Amino acid sequence: MLGRAVWRQRHTGIAYRIREQQRMQHSNVLQTLRTRKLVQAVTSEEMAKRVERPVAVYCGVDPTASSLHLGNMVTLMALLHFHLAGHRAIPVVGSATGMIGDPSGRSTERAVLEAQELAHNISGIEAQLQRFFARGAEYAAGRVQGLDTAMLQEVQVLRNGDWYSGMGVLEFLGSVGRHARIGTMMARDSVRTRMQSEQGISFTEFSYQLLQAYDFWYLYQHHGCRIQVGGSDQWGNITAGTDLIHRMCNTTGQADTEAAYGLTIPLLTTASGAKFGKSAGNAVWLDEQRTSAFDVYQFFVRTADSDVERQLKQLTLLPLERIAQTMAEHTRAPERFAAQRLLAAEVTELLHGAAGVRQAQCATEVLFGEGPSEAGEYQLTAEDFAQAFAGDRRMVAVTRAQVAELEIDALAVLTGACTSKSEAARLARGGGLYWNGRAVSDSKWKPRADNGDFVGGGTIGVIRTGKANHRMVRVVD
């Protein structure tokens, strides 16, 4: 009897803790998003009541490239907040809609992707979404008070091609098209803007909103999804979905079922108001093979003072109190870039893990500090450096035998720091040629790997010309 009583008490306590965590997590997620500047608009304020209990929330991304970028990240952060609050997050890869192309926010029609390229993009983004939420949970564990990651619901990445594969055009028009109103479709900003342009809009892109609307309806029916989140340029597509759900429920005798809601997120923009993304030509990719951890870190270190507080709220999970403290410190001493360095470290860790931050900070110290050393704030190792610049054209590998024969002018040409030895000589005479942070006046000076001229265990040398043109030499056996 005693054993049974202990068992009951223990499991009752566990159940109580689970209920308390769920209550704590589910409450105020919409308010959290608002305080973090992650809400542009909602279709109804009733959504605030709906998120007080578990709900499925989805966000879709089309595979128009092999990687997501920072423009996508701000929307994924909103979905991550729902996930951490105990709701079910459903990221959807547009394996079907990616063949059509969303006209929202575009002045021209998207290029048609070949089947092989589309398949490559789908698999890449699918893996990236899974990695983002896995790393997001790890990152959140040390920043969200009271969070038990073991209690979070599983994130299942879906492909919308799975529910279109067996559907013909007549079935789609009969079940979805009959509920669409041409006047409403033409009034949407994405369509109206293109209609007024010289190029116009094709029927293919005009019908995109119906496909995204059907995605919401399918997820509503089969996955219990009640909320869609997207960028502010997705408002028309999202409301097309809520409208379709309302009409379909009425038609099928489900008028008393739950409402569907939409939430849009402000687009991530530069200080000048320019949109981030591949179309804008300033994409920072979430794939480390396309944008390294070092380049992500450097991008955010250069954030304008006017943007840094907003981005700390939107792109990190730091407590608001910590953000306020950092901004107060930044106001007192802006030349230290405390807020930018914190933002850079947090976003880099979220995207690339703690190892990525270490590599980025290490490389930053080497390239932009007083000069690389073996005993800086971030202990430099050859492996860290190699990983930080893996695939980067600024780093050139040379053998020990080669290094023994090359003067610095030849190394400058080999790495691309100079176009010729004569340029290297001219820079050296003028004080503009540096090796590991020290000015080199003799262009025929020969760095040696065995006497301390290289750091990182005698394997790393950094050539700098001017203020910010860096090239790296890595010695390999």
Side-chain angles (χ1 to χ4, degrees):
M1 293 295 293
L2 180 60
R4 183 176 298 175
V6 171
W7 182 93
R8 183 182 300 111
Q9 181 179 16
R10 179 179 300 164
H11 284 73
T12 300
I14 292 173
Y16 173 77
R17 288 197 299 274
I18 291 174
R19 288 195 302 271
E20 281 298 291
Q21 175 156 352
Q22 289 178 334
R23 181 191 62 78
M24 176 197 71
Q25 289 177 324
H26 291 312
S27 62
N28 297 322
V29 64
L30 186 57
Q31 182 59 31
T32 296
L33 295 177
R34 283 190 162 125
T35 59
R36 289 188 172 269
K37 311 300 182 183
L38 285 171
V39 175
Q40 181 78 22
V42 293
T43 55
S44 171
E45 289 297 332
E46 290 296 312
M47 191 176 78
K49 295 180 180 178
R50 182 60 187 87
V51 298
E52 291 177 355
R53 61 187 193 279
V55 65
V57 186
Y58 107 90
C59 170
V61 291
D62 278 345
T64 53
S66 62
S67 172
L68 301 173
H69 51 77
L70 284 184
N72 302 118
M73 183 179 171
V74 68
T75 305
L76 291 178
M77 287 301 296
L79 195 60
L80 179 61
H81 277 287
F82 276 102
H83 174 56
L84 297 175
H87 301 288
R88 184 186 174 205
I90 307 176
V92 175
V93 181
S95 56
T97 46
M99 294 187 287
I100 302 299
D102 184 1
S104 301
R106 291 185 59 88
S107 59
T108 58
E109 188 159 354
R110 295 181 186 274
V112 177
L113 297 177
E114 296 294 334
Q116 185 175 1
E117 182 181 4
L118 182 64
H120 173 72
N121 293 352
I122 291 168
S123 61
I125 289 179
E126 194 171 51
Q128 200 168 74
L129 287 168
Q130 292 168 339
R131 187 164 58 248
F132 177 84
F133 284 95
R135 282 182 174 164
E138 293 175 4
Y139 168 80
R143 293 161 178 81
V144 180
Q145 186 177 9
L147 177 68
D148 182 357
T149 56
M151 298 298 301
L152 299 178
Q153 296 197 51
E154 179 184 2
V155 175
Q156 182 183 9
V157 181
L158 303 178
R159 298 182 180 187
N160 65 5
D162 292 343
W163 49 84
Y164 286 110
S165 60
M167 179 181 288
V169 63
L170 294 179
E171 181 183 355
F172 183 81
L173 290 175
S175 61
V176 179
R178 71 173 63 255
H179 295 291
R181 295 295 175 264
I182 294 297
T184 303
M185 294 176 68
M186 293 184 66
R188 302 202 190 285
D189 288 340
S190 59
V191 173
R192 189 175 65 252
T193 302
R194 288 282 294 279
M195 290 277 288
Q196 295 170 351
S197 69
E198 182 178 347
Q199 185 184 37
I201 186 171
S202 68
F203 176 77
T204 302
E205 287 195 329
F206 177 68
S207 64
Y208 182 94
Q209 58 185 289
L210 293 183
L211 296 173
Q212 186 167 327
Y214 182 76
D215 287 346
F216 200 178
W217 165 249
Y218 182 90
L219 294 168
Y220 180 95
Q221 284 285 88
H222 298 276
H223 292 272
C225 182
R226 298 294 181 264
I227 299 173
Q228 179 182 176
V229 300
S232 58
D233 58 353
Q234 292 294 304
W235 178 257
N237 293 338
I238 290 174
T239 55
T242 56
D243 182 61
L244 177 64
I245 289 170
H246 175 72
R247 292 176 181 274
M248 294 284 272
C249 286
N250 284 337
T251 300
T252 57
Q254 305 175 56
D256 294 332
T257 55
E258 281 191 302
Y261 304 95
L263 181 153
T264 56
I265 316 298
L267 298 179
L268 190 64
T269 60
T270 64
S272 63
K275 177 182 173 182
F276 282 105
K278 56 187 181 299
S279 300
N282 58 357
V284 175
W285 303 98
L286 305 193
D287 184 347
E288 57 194 14
Q289 298 302 316
R290 300 186 67 168
T291 302
S292 68
F294 167 76
D295 285 324
V296 170
Y297 186 89
Q298 284 302 310
F299 177 84
F300 284 103
V301 161
R302 296 191 295 269
T303 301
D305 287 346
S306 57
D307 293 336
V308 67
E309 182 175 11
R310 173 172 53 86
Q311 292 186 13
L312 278 167
K313 291 178 179 179
Q314 291 180 329
L315 301 178
T316 82
L317 296 176
L318 288 169
L320 296 178
E321 296 79 4
R322 171 73 188 283
I323 294 174
Q325 291 169 2
T326 300
M327 291 309 302
E329 178 185 349
H330 179 72
T331 301
R332 290 192 298 269
E335 71 279 1
R336 296 179 180 176
F337 299 101
Q340 283 90 344
R341 289 194 298 167
L342 178 62
L343 173 65
E346 291 293 309
V347 176
T348 304
E349 181 173 348
L350 173 57
L351 295 179
H352 300 294
V357 177
R358 170 182 163 78
Q359 292 161 14
Q361 291 174 331
C362 161
T364 297
E365 181 176 277
V366 169
L367 298 184
F368 303 108
E370 296 180 356
S373 67
E374 304 286 359
E377 180 182 355
Y378 311 107
Q379 297 297 309
L380 174 66
T381 69
E383 182 180 358
D384 285 333
F385 202 86
Q387 290 180 356
F389 291 100
D392 195 313
R393 295 180 180 178
R394 291 170 293 185
M395 183 170 69
V396 174
V398 296
T399 65
R400 290 187 184 277
Q402 285 178 299
V403 167
E405 301 298 324
L406 296 175
E407 289 91 7
I408 191 170
D409 58 354
L411 286 170
V413 174
L414 179 66
T415 59
C418 295
T419 58
S420 65
K421 290 184 179 181
S422 59
E423 181 188 1
R426 186 176 68 254
L427 286 170
R429 288 193 300 271
L433 181 64
Y434 294 82
W435 175 266
N436 284 349
R438 298 186 297 273
V440 178
S441 58
D442 181 5
S443 64
K444 293 302 179 181
W445 173 72
K446 184 183 294 184
R448 294 175 55 188
D450 58 356
N451 69 349
D453 291 334
F454 288 79
V455 296
T459 62
I460 302 298
V462 179
I463 297 175
R464 175 166 64 87
T465 58
K467 293 184 177 181
N469 181 31
H470 297 85
R471 294 294 187 273
M472 288 74 71
V473 177
R474 183 186 178 207
V475 179
V476 296
D477 293 324

